[in-house]
């Protein structure tokens, strides 16, 4: 079904060569001509680029360069030795994804720079102009006298054309689990976001933002800045100059080295990307990030990984109803007066797992994550000595892993392995063979990894080059063992799922679990309306939607700040090839609305963002692969609103059985989150219908044949 | 849970004795004094009774008497030798039922009559005056010179006070599967209902009606005539005099005997009953019929029978998608032009049964009926030689009954046995031991029996004494083998479930299956609004509700004349301790409304008819036993209407999670039967809400805690 047939429909590469070392300015435009990149070398031989959209600048001339350890910077004194332009067009197939076929059409400009004077180092800049944005990267070619480069900083500028409205989160080197903020660029103050009480780790050294960072210009153009194919390099944050509205790359470093990136030559940096769209939804529909990654290296993985819905012995721990550790010391039942009430018992036991399997099997849910199954959880967090705590193979005495896996297989429910590394990646790497051998023995093909806490060795950050390489090593090791990886506390997504389709999803945002215990009131209603236009541009999100018991009993001080219909809509709004139905079986039982979770697809033929505005609302329609069924999800922020959906996206001549899961008349994320209605109708292409979304509300629609 | 604890809360029996052989008139009133029975002996010594409600006559003086074979009638020349009056009050517990506790409070009058002249035969009349109606029966005491009585006719009159509106069906001796009619008593014309093309058997000898027959007086009083505890006697039809609005008993006879009932003395006739109410709903809430039956003879049967929802390999045969017989000769796939298209295959095969079991298990449905599992179906109907066709133990080669039962047990789904007798009861009686031994061996505790076709031996009718005794013999044999019986083409219910709680449900009405093939357009939308006030007064109904695919694909000329919400409401409106979810699994899959079928109770703590009018609409609320959950069902006829529900019946101080399954805006039984909406709300005692019911529509409400 998800075959790896990469369809090179058209792959014409036309190469034009200029022997034009004197040319000061080179331009490349996107296939439709609307996006233009202008490369320039100034009088001092300093390279810069600028970007225009519809002939208006969107990025003013912005300098490029590198600072190096014990070497002069590579920033000026260059001349152009060669400029190559080419056209590329292909359609490739995603094994799983928001859409099956991806158009990858761009015009490319490759500029080779050489220092005019000794040491005459060479730097090549690759620009790709797409209709939906641009990407550029630096190539450090093999050259005499330089074996390895020790980069202390990359100086890539993004000079904005004005004080845009920005949707941003602080440039934390350790975590992406901050709320998104909306402010003018001039008002970005990342340092104010330091010391959030609910983060397992956090380090914000500069007034920088993490990517993707999305902006809206006064002209109504939407821009999003990110990177693609982050491989053997440090995560790029963007330092903000609030007076001249310029951003400059600020790589994540390490306290253990004086450099931020060490690479042997030749090598390429990740692509620096700017998605550009006249509509906010155009950013979501853009496939720029995956297009800027390498084709699939793994071949067809569909025999061992298929997109699926899954459940987890997980939410019950966050609610404090059970514990990860067998000893019960790590309980989150802090809702009782005076602290923990100690009533929670170990969640990952055989009986409980079978209970979840039964429920999942009965409802067509194909996977079950079991957290807290292995020894070590009583020592996993808050300790400096975390190396060797987890061995990833020894189950607690009440958990018969072989029996649970067998029972699951019998019922058609796959057990998803869980590896919490407690941010001791060296231990994890040492255990990889053992851990994945167990999975192979059991026939397990998916793992959720976790990296809660400060990284060991001390001085490393989650987003530095050392950890980027660790995360990739795990993905590659997993691929060799036919295991799909869903990393939590991950390095951010930069589209490597194209190359490694076993990198199925990841966290890397403030997920659902914050609602269960965050002391700041949980995720606000606008959260996912911001996430959709920021984090989601990077790639699949394991947000774990689907809370039905929104008052979060027995927690007295926490709740989910959305309506139930909003939770349903997230199955369409959020893209992930694995979507958790996160609530407890007993909280789903009896709910007619659970039918939507049963029905909704997880793998898509195509996706269309119908409308939206960051932080306000978003409506997405997706067609399920193979079935031709369509699903629509729409969510709003704290404001109620009417949205009108034109079903023009449906194919001609077919009548769909529609089910509308809407907010009830009394629905309100604070006052009555559980109020919903379900309506049945016949819908065909061209029908138009208006839906009322409550405050914090949503609408979920299934259109089946 | 369903324990047999009969609670004799109060059982005071006060006896007053009159030595008053000369008294011409005796009166007994119900506990609240509103219902009064007046017994009188006229100048000719002919007994009669009259009934008043709120001091107004509802039954004018009506004679009583018997015609006998080769003996003078017992009808006049009597004198009263004794009249005893007593008061009785008890509360007894139904093991399963519309309510748990039943008040059984009445005042009784027992009048002993003796002929003044030889042969001085004695007849005792027992009258019971209840607040919700009356019952009386005849006792033939042991007496000299008479061993057995050969009754050729019972002459019990019910002389109406006017030309009431009657809800009636013809007094067919062979079947109760006629539609109910609404007409003035003066317009009752049962003979016009002869020769209905879709009945397996039918015989209407007189202008009589079957009971229960319900009426509404011009004063707005509702009456229903029936009988209770029909044991070793013939079914009583009521012959209609359309000019003076009198009814008189007309027993079902036999062509094989010159009498209609033969009984050895002493014996009691069944109770002749009249339910009386100021509201139509009061008839439904009346427990007169069960109160007039004997207490439980079987003890606690809850270890082997519990009320349940069940599915069936059954509807697919009616749709012509599969056949009962292995040979395929009995296909109902008559939808193809030119007759049967021959594509249907044998339904009762192991694989199909497991498919149904999987679906049932996944949805909390506890039973599966499998029809057509045993050899003989190619010869079961339309043949005179039907004796010995079925042996009730030999499965068709594609049906591994032991494996299906084992698989079902493993998944918590009980297989319900099916015995189609093809109306050859002698064969069935000969096979009873063998048949029930197989069930015992397999651990099967429920059977659906069937009696389609003319009875063998020829000359017997389904409703004659011979068959009444056969049906009872089966119930008693089943009880000994711990088997619950659901008879189709049964003798009508007269409340024997109180005595034999293994008599769980029965057909005895025009069921859902007529929608699949009846040439008269299927059941009209008003059908169940009539049934609720007529047939349902007799007892539990196996109507098999729950069609979701209401257009009945692939049948071109048949459909169900209700909306989907109406089908849901039937789970509450119709009372039965076994309720089928009759549609195919694939027709339920994907329907949020199926949640109602998952949730709805089948055993009730109490039931309240909130409102209704025969043939127009009815709304019933029922509280589930043990859970305290409430369910409400409301249905309407072909007219759309608004109904207002006052949730005053809910307990104080509790907030219920309500789910309203309503007709959609476009819903209409003809134009758009499948349009529905589901709304969620919180509901507490005292809340009032108005619902719009579409033409042929309904509303189903769950109120869970």
């Amino acid at each position: 079904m998800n075959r790896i047939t990469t369809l090179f429909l058209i792959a014409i590469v036309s190469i034009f060569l200029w022997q034009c070392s004197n040319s000061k300015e080179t331009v490349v435009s996107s296939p439709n001509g609307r996006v233009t990149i202008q490369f320039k070398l100034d009088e001092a031989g300093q390279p810069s680029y600028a970007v225009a959209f519809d002939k208006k600048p969107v990025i003013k001339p912005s300098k490029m360069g590198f600072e190096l350890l014990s070497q002069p910077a590579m920033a000026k004194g260059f001349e152009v030795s060669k400029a190559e332009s080419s056209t590329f067009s292909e359609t490739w197939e995603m094994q799983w994804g928001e859409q099956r076929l991806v158009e990858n059409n761009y015009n490319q400009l490759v500029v080779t720079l050489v220092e005019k004077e000794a040491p005459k180092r060479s730097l090549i800049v690759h620009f790709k102009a797409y209709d939906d944005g641009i990407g550029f990267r630096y190539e450090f070619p093999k050259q005499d006298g330089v074996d390895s480069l020790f980069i202390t900083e990359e100086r890539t500028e993004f000079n904005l054309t004005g004080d845009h409205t920005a949707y941003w989160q602080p440039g934390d080197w350790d975590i992406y689990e901050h709320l998104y903020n909306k402010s003018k660029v001039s008002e970005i103050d990342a340092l104010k976001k330091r010391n959030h009480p609910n983060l397992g780790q956090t380090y914000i050294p500069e007034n920088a933002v993490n990517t993707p960072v999305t902006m809206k210009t006064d002209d109504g153009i939407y821009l999003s800045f990110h990177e693609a194919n982050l491989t053997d390099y440090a995560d790029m944050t963007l330092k903000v100059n609030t007076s001249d509205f310029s951003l400059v790359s600020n790589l994540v470093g390490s306290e253990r080295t004086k450099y931020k990136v060490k690479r042997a030559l030749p090598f390429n940096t990740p692509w620096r990307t700017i998605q550009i769209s006249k509509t906010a939804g155009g950013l979501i529909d853009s496939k720029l990030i995956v297009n800027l990654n390498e084709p699939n290296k793994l071949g067809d993985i569909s025999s061992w990984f298929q997109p699926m819905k899954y459940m987890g012995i997980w939410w019950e721990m966050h609610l404090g109803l059970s514990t990860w550790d067998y000893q019960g010391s790590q309980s989150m039942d802090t809702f009782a007066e005076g602290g923990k009430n100690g009533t929670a018992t170990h969640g990952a036991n055989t009986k409980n797992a079978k209970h979840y399997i039964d429920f999942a099997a009965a409802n067509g849910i194909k996977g079950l994550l079991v957290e807290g199954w292995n020894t070590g959880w009583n020592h996993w967090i808050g300790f400096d000595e975390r190396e060797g705590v987890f061995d990833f193979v020894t189950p607690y005495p009440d958990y018969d892993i072989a029996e649970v896996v067998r029972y699951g297989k019998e019922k058609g429910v796959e057990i998803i392995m869980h590896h919490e590394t407690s941010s001791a990646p060296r231990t994890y790497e040492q255990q990889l063979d053992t851990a994945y051998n167990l999975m192979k023995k059991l026939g397990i093909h998916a793992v959720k990894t976790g990296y809660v806490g400060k990284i060991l060795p001390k001085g490393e950050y989650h987003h530095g080059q050392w950890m980027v390489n660790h995360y990739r090593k795990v993905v590659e090791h997993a691929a060799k063992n036919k295991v799909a990886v869903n990393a939590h506390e991950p390095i951010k997504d930069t589209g490597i799922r194209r190359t490694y389709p076993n990198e199925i999803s990841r966290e890397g945002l403030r997920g659902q679990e914050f609602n269960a215990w965050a002391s700041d009131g949980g995720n606000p209603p606008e959260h996912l309306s911001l996430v959709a236009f920021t984090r989601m541009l990077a790639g699949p999100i394991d947000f774990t939607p689907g809370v039905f018991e929104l008052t979060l009993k027995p927690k007295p001080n926490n709740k989910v700040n959305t309506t139930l219909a909003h939770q349903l809509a997230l199955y369409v709004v959020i893209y992930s090839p694995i979507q958790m139905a996160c609530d407890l079986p007993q909280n789903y039982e009896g709910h007619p609305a659970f039918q939507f979770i049963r029905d909704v697809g997880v793998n898509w033929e195509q996706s269309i963002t119908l409308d939206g505005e960051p932080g306000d609302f978003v409506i997405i329609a997706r067609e399920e692969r193979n079935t031709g069924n369509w699903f629509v999800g729409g969510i709003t922020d704290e404001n109620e609103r009417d949205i009108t959906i034109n079903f023009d996206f449906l194919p001609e001549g077919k009548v769909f059985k529609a089910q509308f899961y809407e907010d009830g008349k009394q629905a309100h994320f604070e006052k009555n989150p559980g109020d919903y209605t379900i309506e049945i109708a016949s819908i065909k292409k061209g029908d138009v219908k208006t839906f009322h979304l409550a405050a914090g509300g949503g609408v979920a629609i299934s259109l089946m044949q």
Side-chain angles (χ1 to χ4, degrees), chain A:
Chain A
M1 309 289 251
N2 296 299
R3 291 157 64 213
I4 197 175
T5 341
T6 302
L7 303 174
F8 284 91
L9 296 181
I10 316 173
I12 303 160
V13 181
S14 4
I15 299 181
F16 305 93
L17 271 181
W18 289 277
Q19 297 295 339
C20 50
S21 62
N22 294 327
S23 94
K24 290 283 191 295
E25 198 174 306
T26 315
V27 169
V28 62
S29 288
S30 70
N32 69 6
R34 294 177 66 186
V35 173
T36 301
I37 312 170
Q38 186 186 44
F39 173 80
K40 204 171 162 184
L41 217 50
D42 68 9
E43 298 304 316
Q46 179 150 28
S48 71
Y49 74 99
V51 183
F53 180 59
D54 284 346
K55 307 201 189 304
K56 285 189 187 167
V58 287
I59 298 292
K60 296 197 291 184
S62 301
K63 290 174 187 155
M64 315 164 94
F66 291 86
E67 291 171 5
L68 305 170
L69 189 67
S70 317
Q71 275 194 51
M74 288 176 80
K76 53 187 178 180
F78 285 113
E79 60 182 3
V80 173
S81 79
K82 192 163 69 175
E84 290 173 273
S85 180
S86 61
T87 292
F88 185 83
S89 176
E90 70 169 344
T91 302
W92 58 279
E93 184 169 338
M94 297 178 100
Q95 279 196 52
W96 44 263
E98 304 93 319
Q99 62 201 60
R100 193 167 59 81
L101 298 177
V102 180
E103 299 281 328
N104 185 13
N105 305 327
Y106 60 84
N107 291 327
Q108 181 170 245
L109 169 68
V110 180
V111 182
T112 303
L113 302 172
V114 180
E115 288 173 323
K116 285 186 215 167
E117 297 177 8
K120 294 208 172 192
R121 293 170 301 182
S122 176
L123 176 65
I124 303 170
V125 192
H126 299 246
F127 291 99
K128 289 186 178 180
Y130 286 82
D131 291 342
D132 55 347
I134 69 138
F136 60 92
R137 71 174 177 191
Y138 306 97
E139 179 185 349
F140 291 90
K142 196 168 161 56
Q143 46 199 285
D144 290 342
V146 195
D147 287 338
S148 288
L149 222 54
F150 297 78
I151 299 172
T152 52
E153 197 55 271
E154 175 182 331
R155 295 288 182 201
T156 299
E157 293 176 356
F158 301 86
N159 291 328
L160 307 176
T161 57
D163 190 10
H164 304 333
T165 300
Y167 310 94
W168 60 275
Q169 64 164 251
D172 200 312
W173 286 16
D174 247 344
I175 206 159
Y176 305 107
E177 301 186 17
H178 293 267
L179 286 173
Y180 279 92
N181 303 279
K182 174 184 174 181
S183 77
K184 288 287 178 187
V185 171
S186 60
E187 293 158 352
I188 291 175
D189 186 357
L191 303 185
K192 240 193 186 165
K193 306 296 172 184
R194 284 175 169 170
N195 304 317
H196 190 288
N198 296 126
L199 297 175
Q201 62 272 353
T202 175
Y203 180 58
I204 307 172
E206 304 275 359
N207 187 22
V209 295
N210 267 320
T211 70
V213 57
T214 297
M215 297 185 191
K216 183 179 184 181
T217 72
D218 287 347
D219 294 341
I221 307 293
Y222 295 86
L223 307 172
S224 187
F225 301 85
H226 189 42
E227 56 186 311
N229 192 4
L230 170 53
T231 298
D232 198 3
Y233 204 81
D235 173 312
M236 174 183 74
T237 73
L238 295 174
K239 205 165 145 183
V240 181
N241 184 325
T242 53
S243 19
D244 69 358
F245 324 132
S246 70
L247 312 172
V248 64
S249 56
N250 195 62
L251 300 180
V252 172
S254 158
E255 312 297 336
R256 298 200 301 157
T257 59
K258 290 186 175 164
Y259 53 84
K260 289 180 168 179
V261 170
K262 174 187 174 190
R263 286 294 296 272
L265 266 55
F267 77 94
N268 290 301
T269 68
W271 293 92
R272 281 61 188 96
T273 63
I274 310 171
Q275 284 159 286
I276 307 169
S277 176
K278 288 284 264 188
T279 63
L283 296 180
I284 296 175
D285 295 344
S286 159
K287 284 288 149 287
L288 184 76
I289 304 300
V290 277
N291 272 333
L292 286 169
N293 274 267
E294 301 298 316
N296 185 352
K297 279 186 179 172
L298 304 183
D300 184 0
I301 69 165
S302 64
S303 67
W304 49 272
F305 173 72
Q306 296 277 351
M308 65 176 159
K309 285 167 273 188
Y310 74 109
M311 300 192 77
I313 298 186
W314 174 79
W315 188 236
E316 57 180 69
M317 282 87 127
H318 286 283
L319 291 177
L321 297 171
S322 68
T323 62
W324 278 272
D325 73 326
Y326 185 68
Q327 296 81 357
S329 66
Q330 301 283 324
S331 175
M332 297 185 81
D333 62 346
T334 50
F335 44 83
E337 269 187 41
K340 300 178 184 186
N341 67 15
T343 57
T345 51
H346 183 227
N349 61 72
T350 304
K351 189 181 161 200
N352 197 28
K354 288 187 175 183
H355 171 62
Y356 274 85
I357 288 168
D358 287 342
F359 182 85
N363 292 289
I365 293 173
K366 299 295 186 195
L368 175 67
L369 168 72
V370 182
E371 295 206 357
W373 68 274
N374 58 329
T375 56
W377 284 87
N378 59 326
H379 199 81
W380 79 293
I381 200 170
F383 295 84
D384 280 346
E385 291 305 318
R386 280 174 281 125
E387 301 284 14
V389 163
F390 288 114
D391 68 2
F392 311 101
V393 292
T394 308
Y396 279 126
D398 56 348
Y399 185 70
D400 183 343
I401 188 168
E403 169 59 14
V404 168
V405 170
R406 183 205 66 75
Y407 188 79
K409 276 204 209 318
E410 184 181 292
K411 299 237 169 181
V413 177
E414 191 175 322
I415 299 302
I416 298 170
M417 178 50 80
H418 185 235
H419 292 163
E420 173 54 54
T421 66
S422 66
S423 278
R426 287 187 303 207
T427 291
Y428 189 43
E429 290 189 18
Q430 282 159 12
Q431 301 291 338
L432 276 178
D433 278 340
T434 318
Y436 284 72
N437 277 341
L438 174 65
M439 290 165 70
K440 186 175 272 177
K441 195 180 110 194
L442 293 168
I444 290 180
H445 292 289
V447 64
K448 170 181 168 180
T449 57
Y451 296 85
V452 174
K454 298 293 283 178
I455 297 289
L456 290 180
K458 277 190 187 180
E460 291 297 344
Y461 297 101
H462 281 69
H463 307 161
Q465 184 188 14
W466 191 80
M467 279 303 291
V468 166
N469 288 340
H470 167 78
Y471 288 114
R472 180 64 53 87
K473 181 174 186 173
V474 171
V475 168
E476 289 177 342
H477 188 89
K480 274 184 206 134
N481 288 277
K482 298 189 177 175
V483 171
V485 179
N486 164 27
H488 279 228
E489 302 80 32
I491 188 63
K492 70 188 178 190
D493 200 350
T494 56
I496 70 152
R497 60 176 161 143
R498 181 177 179 189
T499 315
Y500 299 93
N502 73 316
E503 172 64 75
I504 49 175
S505 195
R506 70 184 87 195
E507 194 185 37
L509 88 164
R510 201 170 134 124
Q512 183 85 273
E513 70 272 25
F514 278 74
N515 291 321
W517 39 253
S519 58
D520 61 1
N523 302 331
E526 66 175 3
H527 186 49
L528 274 305
S529 295
L530 279 164
V531 163
F533 295 99
T534 51
R535 160 67 180 85
M536 200 164 84
L537 307 186
I541 303 177
D542 189 32
F543 180 75
T544 66
V547 177
F548 272 31
E549 207 297 275
L550 296 148
T551 66
L552 305 187
K553 286 172 197 153
K555 295 247 172 171
N557 301 319
N558 297 91
K559 64 183 173 61
V560 176
N561 292 314
T562 76
T563 67
L564 194 147
H566 182 118
Q567 289 288 318
L568 292 182
L570 295 181
Y571 286 87
V572 188
V573 167
I574 298 170
Y575 173 67
S576 175
I578 54 164
Q579 285 281 36
M580 192 188 252
C582 80
D583 213 336
L584 316 181
Q586 59 265 39
N587 290 339
Y588 288 131
E589 271 162 7
H591 263 293
F594 190 63
Q595 189 59 46
F596 186 79
I597 297 182
R598 284 189 200 98
D599 290 339
V600 67
V602 274
N603 199 18
W604 310 106
E605 179 68 23
Q606 55 175 318
S607 295
I608 306 166
T609 304
L610 300 177
D611 202 356
E613 185 64 32
D616 294 342
F617 75 106
V618 58
I619 316 164
I620 298 180
R622 302 192 195 268
E623 181 192 358
E624 192 180 24
R625 283 197 203 180
N626 304 317
T627 67
N629 294 332
W630 282 82
F631 297 87
V632 182
I635 56 171
T636 181
D637 59 3
E638 69 283 3
N639 300 306
E640 58 180 329
R641 76 183 70 228
D642 288 326
I643 63 168
T644 297
I645 294 179
N646 184 329
F647 291 94
D648 221 31
F649 54 82
L650 293 175
E652 200 80 56
K654 281 189 185 169
V655 178
F656 288 80
K657 290 181 207 157
Q659 295 174 350
F660 305 122
Y661 297 77
E662 298 175 68
D663 291 320
K665 280 179 199 140
Q666 307 301 320
H668 186 286
F669 72 96
E670 280 188 315
K671 296 172 208 156
N672 198 345
D675 185 24
Y676 66 87
T677 70
I678 305 175
E679 199 186 328
I680 307 302
S682 290
I683 287 288
K684 59 181 190 315
K685 183 181 180 67
D687 286 346
V688 174
K689 194 169 154 66
T690 297
F691 300 88
H692 183 75
L693 276 56
V699 59
I701 304 172
S702 60
L703 297 149
M704 329 250 290
Q705 300 186 66

